[in-house]
Amino acid sequence: HKSLGRRMLDHWQIYLLLLPAIVYFIIFYYWPMAGLQIAFRDYRVSKGIWGSTWVGLKYFQKFFNHPQCWKIIRNISRMAAGRKSMAISLATFPLSVIMALLINELRGKRFQKTVQMVTYAPHFISTVVICSMITLFMNQSTGLINNVIEMLGGNRVDFLGTAQYFPHIFVWSGVWQDLGWGTIIYLATLSSVSPELHEAAYMDGANRMQIIWHVNLPCILPTVVIMLIMSCGRILSVGFEKIYLLQNSLNLDVSQVISTYTYELGLLGGQYSYSTAIGLFNTVVNVVMLLIVNTICKRLSDVSLW
């Protein structure tokens, strides 16, 4: 029953090791949060944050009354539903689980490592390079995809210049880029499954599919749930770099999202308070989604972040 100060004094070496990380988070994560009040002030650089006039929810109301507001939210929801929320449908989240289970069943170690490397490599490719590859492959005049379409008797398509194709390009290129990362996480969990469980299942007459369903899948379920919760916590954060690099005047109607909109308003337009208010709204929605999904998962599976 020692006091916190006494315990810290007794184990000061451990807390000394933690000190650089604590200082880092305070300086770069917690201290900048004081700047969030810009969203509630009519910020002027000459007056500073504390000297600017307090205006309350003025900029939040301005955003919700703006014609672009619901269009941006619709665009984010469309791409987020493809990239993140498709955990209940057909995108990165379940495909990573399936891929991990399949790779885990491979008997040839060399082939297994080759498949891992090929699927994991896109995760390390720069976003700029990824977007350049997409632009080259989907170019209407010289792109590989259009060349194949023309060889098969079809007409060339301006994929990046057609608004209806943009969400699909964004979603499935993201699946290709992130599939290996999720697979590695689940493979690491599968490696900790006790061989005795597999041996017991074989002795009871279970086939390979039954072992996957009744042994492997339950063992990785806690990791799957945690990954689902974290994915839903980023549901409106579909990224800035990739969308901005693929964005053009022809697909702007469906590619404008909160991150690109705040960039245009804040850095290019100098409307710091307005852009901060929009960004804060985005963060609040993500936090609310995280809390809701965490609560649901805790009640259904007894697994949660807290």
Side-chain angles (χ1 to χ4, degrees), residues 50-68:
W50 303 101
S52 299
T53 307
W54 184 272
V55 294
L57 300 176
K58 172 186 173 181
Y59 291 106
F60 292 94
Q61 294 172 349
K62 181 180 179 180
F63 176 60
F64 290 128
N65 293 329
H66 197 281
Q68 285 274 52

Side-chain angles (χ1 to χ4, degrees), residues 224-258:
V224 171
V225 173
I226 294 299
M227 294 293 289
L228 171 62
I229 296 171
M230 295 177 67
S231 295
C232 291
R234 301 188 300 269
I235 196 166
L236 291 188
S237 301
V238 294
F240 167 76
E241 298 91 348
K242 190 175 177 182
I243 292 181
Y244 186 73
L245 291 170
L246 295 176
Q247 195 176 75
N248 57 54
S249 58
L250 297 175
N251 61 34
L252 189 63
D253 191 53
V254 297
S255 64
Q256 185 75 287
V257 295
I258 285 181

Side-chain angles (χ1 to χ4, degrees), residues 60 63-64 73 236 258 276-286:
F60 292 94
F63 176 60
F64 290 128
I73 293 176
L236 291 188
I258 285 181
T276 304
I278 299 172
L280 183 58
F281 161 74
N282 184 32
T283 302
V284 170
V285 172
N286 284 336

Side-chain angles (χ1 to χ4, degrees), residues 5-295:
R6 183 62 184 175
R7 293 200 302 272
M8 292 179 66
L9 188 61
D10 290 342
H11 306 284
W12 65 269
Q13 299 93 336
I14 297 176
Y15 289 98
L16 185 62
L17 291 174
L18 286 174
L19 187 59
I22 294 173
V23 172
Y24 171 81
F25 275 92
I26 290 175
I27 294 176
F28 294 102
Y29 287 89
Y30 292 102
W31 180 253
M33 286 184 182
L36 291 176
Q37 61 181 298
I38 293 176
F40 305 96
R41 293 178 181 271
D42 188 11
Y43 178 67
R44 294 290 182 271
V45 177
S46 58
K47 296 181 179 180
I49 296 176
W50 303 101
S52 299
T53 307
W54 184 272
V55 294
L57 300 176
K58 172 186 173 181
Y59 291 106
F60 292 94
Q61 294 172 349
K62 181 180 179 180
F63 176 60
F64 290 128
N65 293 329
H66 197 281
Q68 285 274 52
C69 172
W70 301 111
K71 181 187 293 186
I72 291 172
I73 293 176
R74 181 201 66 193
N75 293 341
I76 292 176
S77 301
R78 183 181 298 170
M79 283 181 277
R83 181 86 183 272
K84 302 297 182 185
S85 299
M86 268 194 168
I88 56 174
S89 186
L90 284 176
T92 309
F93 182 79
L95 287 180
S96 297
V97 178
I98 296 170
M99 180 67 76
L101 292 171
L102 292 176
I103 292 177
N104 189 63
E105 292 300 310
L106 294 175
R107 292 293 175 258
K109 293 299 180 183
R110 180 174 296 181
F111 180 64
Q112 185 184 59
K113 292 182 181 297
T114 302
V115 172
Q116 286 182 243
M117 183 189 68
V118 171
T119 56
Y120 194 40
H123 181 75
F124 293 100
I125 300 177
S126 167
T127 303
V128 176
V129 176
I130 291 287
C131 293
S132 299
M133 292 169 61
I134 293 172
T135 303
L136 290 173
F137 291 157
M138 297 189 173
N139 185 277
Q140 187 175 9
S141 303
T142 60
L144 176 63
I145 295 176
N146 272 306
N147 289 341
V148 173
I149 292 174
E150 190 175 47
M151 288 174 57
L152 295 175
N155 297 320
R156 290 181 175 270
V157 180
D158 185 9
F159 289 104
L160 292 177
T162 306
Q164 66 183 25
Y165 294 127
F166 185 87
H168 302 288
I169 294 171
F170 177 82
V171 168
W172 293 109
S173 61
V175 170
W176 169 69
Q177 191 175 5
D178 295 338
L179 180 63
W181 168 250
T183 301
I184 291 295
I185 294 175
Y186 298 123
L187 278 173
T189 307
L190 285 169
S191 66
S192 64
V193 178
S194 174
E196 295 177 356
L197 294 176
H198 289 170
E199 294 172 4
Y202 276 121
M203 292 295 292
D204 290 338
N207 57 36
R208 184 169 291 184
M209 191 63 198
Q210 289 173 326
I211 291 174
I212 292 174
W213 185 259
H214 295 289
V215 178
N216 291 343
L217 201 55
C219 288
I220 68 172
L221 184 60
T223 304
V224 171
V225 173
I226 294 299
M227 294 293 289
L228 171 62
I229 296 171
M230 295 177 67
S231 295
C232 291
R234 301 188 300 269
I235 196 166
L236 291 188
S237 301
V238 294
F240 167 76
E241 298 91 348
K242 190 175 177 182
I243 292 181
Y244 186 73
L245 291 170
L246 295 176
Q247 195 176 75
N248 57 54
S249 58
L250 297 175
N251 61 34
L252 189 63
D253 191 53
V254 297
S255 64
Q256 185 75 287
V257 295
I258 285 181
S259 57
T260 57
Y261 189 54
T262 53
Y263 169 75
E264 292 178 3
L265 291 175
L267 293 181
L268 301 183
Q271 301 183 52
Y272 303 112
S273 295
Y274 190 22
S275 59
T276 304
I278 299 172
L280 183 58
F281 161 74
N282 184 32
T283 302
V284 170
V285 172
N286 284 336
V287 171
V288 171
M289 284 298 302
L290 178 66
L291 294 174
I292 292 173
V293 176
N294 186 75
T295 302

